[in-house]
Amino acid sequence: RGKKNMIKNPESKVEEKQDNEKPSFWSVSNGVRVSSTLAMLIIELSFQCHLILITSILIPGQLLYVIEGTEYKDHKGKLLGTIISSGALVGVIVSILSSAISDFVKSIISSPVLKNYIARRAGVAIGILINGLGLILCAFSTTWVQLWIGFVIAAGGISISAGIWGGWLAEEKKEEANLFHKTSTTLYGSITALFGYSGHFIGAGLSLLVDTKENQSQKKSFLILYIIVLVGSTITMAFGGKDGLFVAFYECFFVQKLNSEKEHEDEENSEEQKETTIVQKSKSYFSPLKDSNIWFLLFSNFWCHVAADVATGFLFYLLRDVYRVEAPKKLVGLFLSILTACSVPAALLMGIFSKHVTIGYIFAIMGMLWLPLVSALNVPLWWLFTPSIAVYGFAAGAYASLNWGMAIKLLPSGLGISLWMGSSVLGRVLSSLIGGFLLDIYLHILSPKWAYACIEIVSVTSFALGLLLILLVRKPKGKQTK
């Protein structure tokens, strides 16, 4: 029957062939698409730079300044844990809510021109402004309560922007994932991870310039951090996406629409059809979350972040208490620089050469598992422990690439992306609570060597659990995924 239809309608075959043809990678239209895609992702760099710098350097340093000479000076560990964990929890909740609200607002706006500008860009801008208010309060805080409130506001603001951007990213993914003539979304995920680790690298570099003992240096660092966030978000809001300025300039000067005719036909639907679509979307918004693959991915992401933060979060104390390093801060900075430098190229290479995602996950998680394993065995510092940092960096970059690609492929909406990001944050929070709690207990009953070995075993177990969960993800029936 299919052959008869092709004989009767030979033009349909030609039209189908033309629809599947892609423009040359070096064509102007594809260059505009790639540029708008990269602009869409650059905000991830500012997000990750914000995360590294504020949680690792600025908040701990400002806390030491405000509690110096007060009754709280001997409780800096508990106060820091309270500030960071509460801000993270608020961020997770705000991110999920903002993403859902943004998706709903976009669904009720009839004008195709205003959809992304009101529901997406305006929401991201509001979050950035709230983040700036929180950073100002942190910079000029004189008590730990003011610092706490400021950090919660800053975390909530950046989470609003991140949640809305996640929904925007999920919406753009169908077209952007194939811009580089790849059938897999892994390359698109690796580029996203590349921007994230570049933000890590910038944050780690700026942390070396911050003098935590000098309050003026702290204030300047808060200002620099906000400038980075503001610039990154502005570039994304102005040039990112298929309705950004790159596409607008191209359509203005080359008089050639990048959007397909089908998209224009969808924009001309009647009000009755639009209302039906809104009702259907409101009813089916949560239905994709019934897919077990999504929950396997979320919980795998959660446990891998628990493991990763336990493995790297206690390096300072491990070097000081077990290896007896006199200046652990400088050595930790060196290790983190090595780790980040290895992660950046690994994230990109995994997207280019990866064909089998499952095998990639196995090698990536096993590579990250190597660091806590050698830490638990208390191996010699220079000839085995230091190379394991580089191995961990390559593996972490590969994992981030695969994880972003899987998230872009499986998660259907901004809600799914927000839940995925939230699982990462909750993993970091739980790792700090579990690791710190267990370490305080074990150091009182065991030698430092065995106490840290117990902590690293928690990391190894969490990595193994994360690997098991990701292996449970199955290919959709009738489709082939790479």
Side-chain angles (χ1 to χ4, degrees), residues 264-320:
H264 288 293
E265 291 175 359
D266 292 340
E267 292 172 2
E268 296 173 356
N269 287 334
S270 63
E271 292 298 327
E272 182 179 355
Q273 290 176 328
K274 289 181 180 179
E275 291 177 2
T276 303
T277 303
I278 294 172
V279 173
Q280 291 174 349
K281 286 183 178 180
S282 63
K283 291 181 178 179
S284 62
Y285 188 72
F286 296 96
S287 60
L289 298 180
K290 296 178 181 179
D291 185 2
S292 60
N293 285 334
I294 293 177
W295 293 103
F296 288 143
L297 175 64
L298 293 178
F299 282 106
S300 174
N301 186 56
F302 170 80
W303 284 112
C304 283
H305 276 83
V306 170
D309 276 49
V310 170
T312 59
F314 297 93
L315 275 178
F316 181 92
Y317 300 110
L318 177 70
L319 295 173
R320 184 192 65 183

Side-chain angles (χ1 to χ4, degrees), residues 92-156:
V92 171
I93 297 172
V94 168
S95 175
I96 295 173
L97 291 177
S98 63
S99 177
I101 293 172
S102 176
D103 288 344
F104 174 75
V105 171
K106 188 175 186 299
S107 67
I108 64 176
I109 297 177
S110 58
S111 173
V113 178
L114 297 178
K115 279 181 179 290
N116 280 337
Y117 281 90
I118 294 180
R120 304 303 191 195
R121 289 175 171 85
V124 172
I126 291 172
I128 297 300
L129 291 176
I130 295 175
N131 174 256
L133 294 176
L135 292 179
I136 291 174
L137 185 56
C138 289
F140 292 93
S141 59
T142 56
T143 66
W144 74 268
V145 175
Q146 292 177 356
L147 180 63
W148 185 12
I149 296 174
F151 178 72
V152 169
I153 293 174

Side-chain angles (χ1 to χ4, degrees), residues 193 197 297-305 308 346-347 350 360-361 363-365 368 392-406 420 424 463 466-467 470:
Y197 274 109
L297 175 64
L298 293 178
F299 282 106
S300 174
N301 186 56
F302 170 80
W303 284 112
C304 283
H305 276 83
M350 177 57 69
Y361 265 115
F363 279 101
I365 295 179
M368 291 192 293
Y392 180 91
F394 277 108
Y399 173 80
S401 173
L402 294 168
N403 214 30
W404 263 109
M406 186 69 77
W420 179 72
S424 304
F463 271 132
L467 177 59
I470 202 64

Side-chain angles (χ1 to χ4, degrees), residues 150-167:
F151 178 72
V152 169
I153 293 174
I158 202 74
S159 298
I160 290 174
S161 298
I164 295 175
W165 174 76

